[in-house]
Amino acid sequence: MANDWPLVGREQELAFARRALADPEVCGLLLTGRAGAGKTRLAKVLLAELAGGGARTHWVRAMSSASTIPFGAFAHLLPGSADGTGDRAHRLNQVAGHLTRGAEGRRLVLCVDDAHLLDDLSATLVHQLAATASAFVLVIAPHGVSVPGPVFAMWKDRVAERLDVGELTRPRTTELITAVLGGRLDDGAEDRLWHLTLGNPLFLRELLQGGLDSGSLSAEDGVWRWTGALMATPRLVELIEIRTDRVDADERRLLELLAFGEPLGSEPLVRLGAGHVLASTEQAGLVVSERTGRRLNVRLAHPLYADVIRRRTSPLRQRDTYRILAQTLDLTGARRAEDKPRLVRWRLAAGLPTDPQLVRAAAETLLRKNFPQAEQLAAEAVRMNGGFGAKFLLAQVRVAGGRHADAGSLLSELAGETVSDAQHARVAATRARNLAFGLNRFDEASAVLDTAETAVSGTLDDLVTARAALRAAAGAAREALDLLGPVLDRNRRGDALRLAALVVAAGALASTGRTEACLGVVDEGLEIASRISDASAPGARVRLEHARIVALCRAGRLEEAEDRAGDDYRDAVRDRWGPAVAGAAASLGTVALAYGNVRGAIRWLREALAADAHDQPYEFRPAVAAALVRATAMSGRVAEPLGDWDGAWVAAARGELSRALVLGASAASAASEDGRLAVAAEIRHDLVRFGASPGEIPAAGGMAELYAAHAAAVSDASALDAVALSFADAGARLLAAEASAQAARIYRAEGKNGSAAMSAQRARAWLASCEDAATPALSSLDTPLDLTVRELEIARLVATGLTSRAVADRLVVSVRTVDNVLHGVYAKLGISGRRELASVVGPLASGSSPGDGP
């Protein structure tokens, strides 16, 4: 990183300072603020501007080592004769005169950093220069410290203005990070950086530098991502230690209590005898107090203070600190809900006796709020012999956290420890889902369910629900819903079992196009999830929220979907739970793709797959991976396809439209057979986008109605224009652009060049918000509009350098057919041969290979 960061977010401060510098009545400016807020950086920018304007500038830095030496801070500017033995006034005049004469008629500007460390004579000199208008003085001093009397008098006597330099706001912090890195930092890391630095530029700089030096911070696909912990650099630790070490024994104990237990109520601290140091540490800027409801809480002034203090506290002293915290909270009764898990953690850390059932309950409470702590407590409950409940909870936590191999081992152990059919069914169902969705071992998952069904008496709905989840994941939506119907009829209570069934039903309903039914199921599921422990159904909220977004997009309610997905993402980033971030990012990617923002879709879908390096944190991951392949193909690039639908898009991006149509038709038929009518409608509409007649589009409501209208209008330019407007009204701007591009092609073939130009203009206007879109339908905007689909396909393949034989092999046609089509293309385009094709028909997908032909 560059030594001098760009000055971001200081427009108001710069404007204030420039007004003061331009005011003839003002001869000084006092810059104050917390350490690291950017006072010195701001002063350097101002001084550079003044020097560039012809002023004579000097930089003076006071130091504690020179605070007892007369003119110690100005030693480097003094004439040799200034060390004489004249009286105080004479020496002041001598030094002031030397400085003003040295300006040689230019404006003299003096900047004094750390002015609170000035010796008396230096402070008096600064005041004299400003009071006599001999110089303009910029004075920098930290917030909350006493400055020498002469410096304070400058502001008190209105010789100087005062400017408080605060920390950056969150948007400004993000702007600064982007400017420094030269790219966007992923939202999770940005959120962590914000909460650690609170807009302090110095702290931000050190953390970013530490991430770059360690390799934890790196760029991938234009986005900077952070892996691992955010670690303070040794320099930052030293800077914080300088502030936190200037305390007595009682103040240090207070800082340690806050570092390990913040926020703490002021009342317990007073009971501990810390009341007399609260005021002094707050005055020193080490702690802050804030009212939350009726409670007055105290916390450290900055989150990084806690990190440094914890690191410097010995294990024995840590244990003693936790003992004090636990005993104090016991005395106050731990009345608030958040107090109970804190008390459990503190008692464990202090080595005090603790009931394992309380430890397990605390883990369940923290599962959504602090996932790492929840896992630690669940593991501790198992270590304390908390029984089946503790071990099963730990397995669920590991599933939710993406540690599927560890969860699988634990669940295998539990399978041999169950004492009832109900326990056996719960373990088998969880184990099967972990095998399928966590480890991609679907056959083993099905076998586990087969074995469990023969081992238990009666039909246990945990097993049926798990079976339905496997069938839904395989695309058998109708079969999954048939399995779930009786389960939901038998389980009317709002418990974890009903919630698990609703989660599977929501995803299956979204794929069928039954939007209202899906949204009703989601609402009920979320209501149940709000009342029961997250440990009872880990990740249920994530899957329900995503199913809702998918349903809303297929219903054409894109704005509503975007608002909800945005809210979900902000909540997930705040909670810092990987699966929730992944699910919300997947939802945002789904919305972006529905809008036609291909670049945004790729960004969000990649983030969904990469969030916290969880391999399989949610059951819809395969669908997200396939959507990323399609989005990538829509940008004109190719990736490895996972199935026929995304394979069709990859083929289309490579120019193999015939193969794309075959794969797409196969995928659509399979979806229809499985009851996924909304999916089938979308795939068949893709065939329209590829330039073919798709056959009947399933009636799945919502966007499917527009798909059907598009299919019916493929040969009617005016009807295509109308369809384009309907797509645009729904927010599907890429589909609108494609329909308009197709209309322009037909108008051109009919000789209606004016209408063609208007349709093409509308298409390009909609494309302005579809970043990176390069779909087959759009190619007609930049290629001859009178080529047929087959002619364009062969022409674009030949333009890459493929021989006629290679093209014939790829399209499964004869070489003679390829050559005959080529001759027709040359005649239509008025060109003489292959060399001119590339400039006329445009490039193929990035990453596609022409291959070698005979």
Side-chain angles (χ1 to χ4, degrees):
M1 290 188 299
N3 288 330
D4 286 330
W5 277 23
L7 195 65
V8 171
R10 296 303 189 191
E11 292 80 7
Q12 291 183 344
E13 290 88 343
L14 281 171
F16 181 93
R18 288 165 180 155
R19 285 196 299 270
L21 284 160
D23 189 340
E25 301 296 322
V26 177
C27 295
L29 180 63
L30 172 62
L31 300 178
T32 185
R34 296 184 188 277
K39 305 179 295 295
T40 300
R41 179 78 179 96
L42 183 64
K44 285 182 176 180
V45 169
L46 291 169
L47 219 62
E49 288 183 3
L50 291 163
R56 175 64 166 160
T57 62
H58 293 294
W59 187 275
V60 174
R61 181 167 186 181
M63 294 181 291
S64 56
S65 58
S67 61
T68 59
I69 303 173
F71 294 120
F74 286 83
H76 63 295
L77 299 178
L78 295 180
S81 58
D83 293 325
T85 58
D87 62 24
R88 179 184 179 99
H90 175 73
R91 295 173 68 190
L92 281 170
N93 290 333
Q94 186 182 29
V95 174
H98 172 75
L99 292 173
T100 53
R101 286 192 299 274
E104 298 176 340
R106 292 177 289 169
R107 186 182 193 186
L108 177 61
V109 180
L110 188 69
C111 184
V112 182
D113 200 359
D114 286 333
H116 61 296
L117 300 177
L118 285 173
D119 61 276
D120 289 342
L121 274 178
S122 293
T124 304
L125 173 62
V126 169
H127 181 274
Q128 180 175 318
L129 288 170
T132 60
S134 301
F136 189 96
V137 181
L138 276 169
V139 177
I140 306 171
H143 176 74
V145 301
S146 298
V147 295
V151 174
F152 178 73
M154 290 170 50
W155 173 62
K156 183 186 69 173
D157 297 340
R158 305 186 69 82
V159 172
E161 294 284 0
R162 171 173 171 157
L163 175 58
D164 291 301
V165 181
E167 280 79 4
L168 296 172
T169 63
R170 182 162 185 169
R172 295 301 192 188
T173 300
T174 302
E175 183 182 348
L176 178 58
I177 293 171
T178 303
V180 169
L181 295 178
R184 189 183 65 81
L185 181 65
D186 79 83
D187 296 86
E190 184 273 328
D191 184 75
R192 285 191 290 164
L193 272 176
W194 164 253
H195 284 98
L196 272 178
T197 66
L198 298 179
N200 186 293
L202 175 61
F203 293 171
L204 182 65
R205 178 193 183 99
E206 291 301 320
L207 287 174
L208 286 177
Q209 189 64 62
L212 290 170
D213 291 344
S214 67
S216 298
L217 180 61
S218 59
E220 179 183 347
D221 298 318
V223 177
W224 288 84
R225 303 188 186 280
W226 205 302
T227 56
L230 288 166
M231 298 293 293
T233 61
R235 178 172 177 265
L236 180 54
V237 172
E238 290 173 5
L239 290 170
I240 293 173
E241 286 174 347
I242 290 172
R243 288 190 54 76
T244 57
D245 283 352
R246 297 172 182 168
V247 293
D248 61 27
D250 289 341
E251 291 170 332
R252 172 154 293 282
R253 172 53 83 186
L254 172 63
L255 297 184
E256 288 170 348
L257 289 170
L258 291 172
F260 289 96
E262 67 177 354
L264 295 174
S266 61
E267 180 184 345
L269 290 173
V270 171
R271 288 189 184 185
L272 285 172
H276 69 288
V277 296
L278 282 173
S280 62
T281 51
E282 188 168 29
Q283 176 65 30
L286 295 173
V287 305
V288 294
S289 58
E290 54 192 7
R291 188 166 294 281
T292 305
R294 291 183 295 175
R295 179 180 287 189
L296 182 62
N297 284 333
V298 181
R299 61 175 175 80
L300 292 171
H302 202 282
L304 285 173
Y305 291 180
D307 182 60
V308 171
I309 292 170
R310 285 194 295 264
R311 276 204 253 169
R312 286 170 50 87
T313 306
S314 70
L316 281 175
R317 193 164 175 89
Q318 285 185 32
R319 186 171 181 147
D320 189 50
T321 301
Y322 280 122
R323 178 187 58 79
I324 296 171
L325 288 168
Q327 291 175 347
T328 304
L329 193 54
D330 266 333
L331 289 174
T332 60
R335 295 182 296 271
R336 298 193 174 195
E338 64 267 22
D339 289 341
K340 293 179 180 179
R342 293 212 301 169
L343 178 58
V344 168
R345 287 191 297 107
W346 293 345
R347 290 184 65 84
L348 288 172
L352 298 172
T354 309
D355 185 344
Q357 301 308 316
L358 291 178
V359 177
R360 190 185 82 183
E364 292 180 349
T365 301
L366 289 172
L367 186 56
R368 177 78 176 185
K369 299 173 183 175
N370 191 320
F371 193 86
Q373 283 187 4
E375 185 173 7
Q376 290 172 9
L377 289 177
E380 186 65 22
V382 172
R383 191 190 66 78
M384 298 169 69
N385 298 317
F388 174 86
K391 190 173 284 190
F392 186 63
L393 171 64
L394 180 58
Q396 288 178 302
V397 169
R398 287 179 175 170
V399 170
R403 296 179 55 189
H404 300 288
D406 291 342
S409 299
L410 195 55
L411 288 165
S412 295
E413 291 178 22
L414 273 173
E417 300 175 9
T418 57
V419 296
S420 68
D421 284 348
Q423 284 186 351
H424 192 80
R426 289 179 67 196
V427 170
T430 305
R431 187 179 172 200
R433 295 175 79 135
N434 183 61
L435 283 166
F437 306 119
L439 301 171
N440 199 31
R441 289 151 57 180
F442 278 83
D443 289 343
E444 289 182 53
S446 184
V448 166
L449 293 178
D450 291 341
T451 302
E453 286 167 354
T454 61
V456 300
S457 58
T459 301
L460 292 182
D461 289 335
D462 287 290
L463 300 176
V464 178
T465 302
R467 179 78 69 186
L470 265 60
R471 298 307 301 141
R478 184 183 294 115
E479 183 182 346
L481 291 171
D482 288 343
L483 286 170
L484 291 170
V487 174
L488 293 170
D489 288 340
R490 286 191 294 266
N491 295 274
R492 297 290 184 178
R493 290 187 309 153
D495 57 9
L497 178 55
R498 183 170 180 83
L499 175 59
L502 290 171
V503 168
V504 181
L509 288 168
S511 70
T512 66
R514 295 164 61 185
T515 302
E516 293 306 318
C518 175
L519 296 179
V521 163
V522 168
D523 287 341
E524 182 187 352
L526 290 175
E527 193 277 328
I528 296 174
S530 70
R531 291 189 285 102
I532 67 175
S533 166
D534 282 302
S536 302
R541 299 181 191 182
V542 175
R543 296 194 290 276
L544 286 168
E545 295 286 5
H546 184 68
R548 173 162 61 185
I549 298 306
V550 172
L552 289 172
C553 287
R554 286 182 173 147
R557 295 157 61 177
L558 300 189
E559 289 187 4
E560 182 180 352
E562 183 177 31
D563 290 342
R564 287 187 177 277
D567 290 342
D568 293 342
Y569 185 78
R570 285 185 287 273
D571 290 345
V573 168
R574 181 199 62 210
D575 293 339
R576 301 179 195 175
W577 186 37
V581 173
S587 293
L588 285 169
T590 301
V591 175
L593 199 56
Y595 273 125
N597 179 2
V598 175
R599 181 185 299 177
I602 292 172
R603 170 210 159 178
W604 288 115
L605 295 171
R606 279 178 175 164
E607 181 166 337
L609 298 175
D612 276 7
H614 292 302
D615 293 331
Q616 290 277 0
Y618 41 82
E619 296 175 10
F620 51 84
R621 179 187 175 92
V624 174
L628 176 59
V629 174
R630 294 197 300 277
T632 301
M634 290 180 198
S635 71
R637 294 170 290 162
V638 296
E640 188 65 30
L642 304 174
D644 283 352
W645 187 9
D646 41 292
W649 272 101
V650 171
R654 286 176 170 153
E656 302 169 6
L657 291 178
S658 298
R659 177 169 172 75
L661 296 176
V662 171
L663 291 172
S666 172
S669 295
S672 294
E673 290 172 5
D674 290 332
R676 293 175 290 130
L677 299 185
V679 176
E682 191 171 342
I683 299 173
R684 290 206 176 276
H685 181 246
D686 285 346
L687 303 183
V688 179
R689 300 170 70 183
F690 297 158
S693 177
E696 184 178 356
I697 290 184
M703 293 298 292
E705 295 180 8
L706 293 182
Y707 299 159
H710 191 182
V714 289
S715 59
D716 186 334
S718 61
L720 284 170
D721 277 337
V723 168
L725 290 172
S726 296
F727 278 135
D729 289 341
R733 294 181 287 268
L734 178 56
L735 299 183
E738 290 178 342
S740 270
Q742 291 172 334
R745 180 188 186 94
I746 295 174
Y747 279 132
R748 180 73 60 83
E750 294 173 349
K752 299 176 181 178
N753 292 336
S755 296
M758 290 182 64
S759 293
Q761 184 179 5
R762 280 194 294 269
R764 290 190 174 93
W766 283 316
L767 275 179
S769 59
C770 302
E771 294 181 291
D772 294 347
T775 61
L778 299 175
S779 63
S780 60
L781 291 174
D782 301 309
T783 57
L785 299 176
D786 51 352
L787 295 182
T788 66
V789 172
R790 171 64 84 179
E791 288 172 337
L792 182 59
E793 176 181 35
I794 290 176
R796 295 188 75 185
L797 289 171
V798 170
T800 66
L802 286 173
T803 63
S804 294
R805 171 60 60 83
V807 173
D809 290 343
R810 182 172 288 193
L811 300 182
V812 195
V813 297
S814 69
V815 175
R816 176 171 295 183
T817 296
V818 172
D819 288 335
N820 287 340
V821 169
L822 278 178
H823 288 305
V825 168
Y826 299 154
K828 284 186 177 182
L829 301 182
I831 60 177
S832 58
R834 296 169 179 259
R835 292 185 179 180
E836 300 173 66
L837 274 177
S839 62
V840 179
V841 299
L844 276 178
S846 162
S848 60
S849 172
D852 297 321

